Amino acid sequence: MVLATSWRDRWSSWELQFVGCGWKRRMAETIQYAQKVVSGRTQSKGSALLWITSLKTAIDTEGFVQQFSAELAGLVLETLPSYGLRTQQRAVNQWVTTALGHEEFLKAFAGSVIKACSAKQPPQNAFRLLEWSCLVLEQLPEGSGKAVQKLLEAQGNQLDTLINSSNSHTGQQRWRAAERVVMRLLRRRPSLLRDYTSAAAASSSPGLVKVTLAASLQQQTQQPQQLDSNAAVDALLLVLCDKVVAAREPPKPVQLAAYGPLLSSLTPEQLTGQLVPAACKAMRRTPEPAITALVGLLQYVKLDLSSSAVELVNLLLQQLRAKEAVRGVANGALSAIAARVQDPAVALQLVQCVCGVLDGSAEGKVKVAAERAALAAALAALADIPTTQPGMQEAVTTAAAFCSRYYKDE
């Protein structure tokens, strides 16, 4: 007997040993051998070759996938910890794409992916599970509402793992790749955007919110008449106002960053009609988390805040006078607001608001020294007014003159 010299020859010679055998026996032995290869109990060099030779041939055999769908789904999941090379992963993904054309494997694999997503996964595994869930979602027939919902819940966990690990260079690359995977799915199945929006709104998952917004805003740019993308943006703005701005705990930076694309593309109507009223209401109920959220959100807002600045500043002054705990974050909010005021008259009005409270002309003399110090710090926070903007000089000179006079009297 002549020994095969190449890996491809070895696979071919192995396959030929089963010619003439019953197909069930032959396919069962194919599964057993594949399990040994994937688990590392045989030559690892054949791990990628397995999916483009024996298993690729077997999948075309009538009845094979139907008979062994559960085993095949489990076999794919076994590659999670052992297939680190992208060439190996692509070979598996190509095989999975073909196998998903069989209804039995589609159901078995969807269940296996959902189960795997319920466990905490490292980022590299989370990315592969995301890929597989997108492959399943692409193949699911219309009307698979419950399956889609469960898969998107599972995706949310994996996307959160990826976005939370995106502070490194490798993590950023992996996150961008994850966004591309979801965007490609939504280009192929645009009707799924409604499901993504519902899942993101229900879970408030930062990763799910971010990819949904990315897809929605891209659709708005390319297809302005697309109703699903407009509805997605409106729905997630409502979630931002109700679940992030009004939350009883300060939001995490990654949660605020997820809404960054939405905040940077706000319309004036959305800003003054939804976001600002929600922020004002939340600051009255839960000042510290609401003001923390406001500071984080404003870093993404590009619009002129002149129409809302006076209302926000007056509310912040009330809170920092009443609650020592919020003074630091309130000054951060004042700086952020001042930096986004383009109207010189409003800038002057902001300075006058603080000066009037501090010198007692607006609400009577401030007797507590710590409170006066807090108001002085608030006036200093307004120094972020864009002084290069034409007409801002009056606000600057008013603040400077007041400080000179006040500190002399103090």
Side-chain angles (χ1 to χ4, degrees):
M1 178 179 178
V2 179
L3 294 176
T5 57
S6 69
W7 276 106
R8 194 171 295 278
D9 290 341
R10 290 182 191 180
W11 279 105
S12 299
S13 64
W14 174 78
E15 289 179 314
L16 287 172
Q17 293 176 24
F18 301 101
V19 174
C21 299
W23 78 268
K24 286 189 177 180
R25 176 190 167 193
R26 180 157 38 101
M27 292 301 103
E29 290 173 336
T30 300
I31 293 289
Q32 290 171 4
Y33 191 84
Q35 289 170 337
K36 291 180 181 180
V37 173
V38 170
S39 63
R41 286 175 285 171
T42 187
Q43 299 98 328
S44 60
K45 290 182 180 179
S47 57
L49 196 59
L50 167 73
W51 301 90
I52 61 175
T53 54
S54 300
L55 288 177
K56 187 175 185 298
T57 301
I59 203 173
D60 294 327
T61 302
E62 185 178 354
F64 173 66
V65 176
Q66 291 84 344
Q67 179 77 17
F68 297 104
S69 57
E71 291 86 348
L72 290 167
L75 187 64
V76 174
L77 267 293
E78 282 187 46
T79 68
L80 265 181
S82 56
Y83 279 32
L85 297 177
R86 195 57 183 156
T87 52
Q88 296 173 320
Q89 295 167 4
R90 287 196 189 98
V92 176
N93 288 356
Q94 289 169 1
W95 185 90
V96 168
T97 301
T98 303
L100 286 172
H102 298 268
E103 183 180 354
E104 293 81 1
F105 180 77
L106 178 63
K107 292 179 179 179
F109 190 57
S112 297
V113 169
I114 291 169
K115 184 177 179 180
C117 288
S118 65
K120 186 173 178 59
Q121 300 285 352
Q124 62 272 22
N125 289 3
F127 177 74
R128 295 198 64 206
L129 287 168
L130 175 69
E131 285 189 305
W132 290 341
S133 64
C134 284
L135 291 176
V136 172
L137 284 166
E138 187 176 347
Q139 294 298 324
L140 282 176
E142 295 292 336
S144 305
K146 289 186 178 180
V148 170
Q149 181 182 354
K150 289 182 179 180
L151 281 163
L152 290 180
E153 288 173 2
Q155 265 196 21
N157 294 333
Q158 308 318 303
L159 286 165
D160 286 351
T161 296
L162 294 168
I163 201 171
N164 285 323
S165 63
S166 62
N167 51 354
S168 66
H169 177 67
T170 301
Q172 288 175 358
Q173 289 183 317
R174 192 178 284 124
W175 173 255
R176 286 195 290 268
E179 281 191 316
R180 289 195 295 271
V181 168
V182 177
M183 299 279 273
R184 181 170 62 245
L185 168 66
L186 290 174
R187 283 196 301 271
R188 294 173 177 174
R189 293 283 301 272
S191 62
L192 285 173
L193 183 58
R194 292 191 296 273
D195 299 290
Y196 269 87
T197 302
S198 298
S203 67
S204 297
S205 154
L208 207 51
V209 166
K210 192 165 185 177
V211 296
T212 303
L213 279 173
S216 302
L217 294 170
Q218 185 183 75
Q219 276 195 15
Q220 279 190 340
T221 302
Q222 297 175 352
Q223 298 173 307
Q225 74 283 1
Q226 180 59 254
L227 297 179
D228 286 346
S229 60
N230 296 330
V233 171
D234 292 340
L236 292 176
L237 178 57
L238 187 61
V239 173
L240 172 64
C241 294
D242 291 347
K243 294 187 178 181
V244 179
V245 176
R248 295 190 176 275
E249 297 293 331
K252 296 178 180 179
V254 69
Q255 192 176 15
L256 296 174
Y259 289 93
L262 171 60
L263 291 163
S264 63
S265 60
L266 282 177
T267 65
E269 293 76 21
Q270 289 171 330
L271 176 68
T272 58
Q274 291 180 263
L275 187 60
V276 170
C280 291
K281 182 179 179 180
M283 280 193 283
R284 293 186 180 96
R285 295 175 59 187
T286 52
E288 188 172 1
I291 297 172
T292 302
L294 181 64
V295 175
L297 296 174
L298 286 179
Q299 66 181 307
Y300 301 101
V301 174
K302 298 178 180 178
L303 292 174
D304 179 6
L305 289 183
S306 297
S307 61
S308 306
V310 174
E311 179 184 10
L312 289 169
V313 167
N314 280 328
L315 188 52
L316 287 166
L317 291 177
Q318 292 174 20
Q319 296 299 336
L320 68 82
R321 290 185 65 186
K323 297 178 176 63
E324 184 178 353
V326 307
R327 287 172 183 170
V329 68
N331 286 335
L334 288 168
S335 295
I337 293 167
R340 289 161 179 79
V341 170
Q342 303 294 320
D343 187 335
V346 173
L348 177 60
Q349 192 175 354
L350 297 183
V351 171
Q352 290 171 338
C353 285
V354 181
C355 294
V357 176
L358 189 52
D359 68 8
S361 62
E363 301 177 13
K365 186 176 181 180
V366 181
K367 297 180 180 180
V368 181
E371 193 175 329
R372 293 199 301 273
L375 288 166
L379 181 59
L382 296 181
D384 282 337
I385 287 172
T387 54
T388 56
Q389 189 79 8
M392 292 292 186
Q393 194 61 35
E394 186 177 1
V396 175
T397 56
T398 300
F402 174 84
C403 289
S404 299
R405 183 177 68 256
Y406 181 79
Y407 283 115
K408 180 181 178 181
D409 295 341
E410 183 74 13

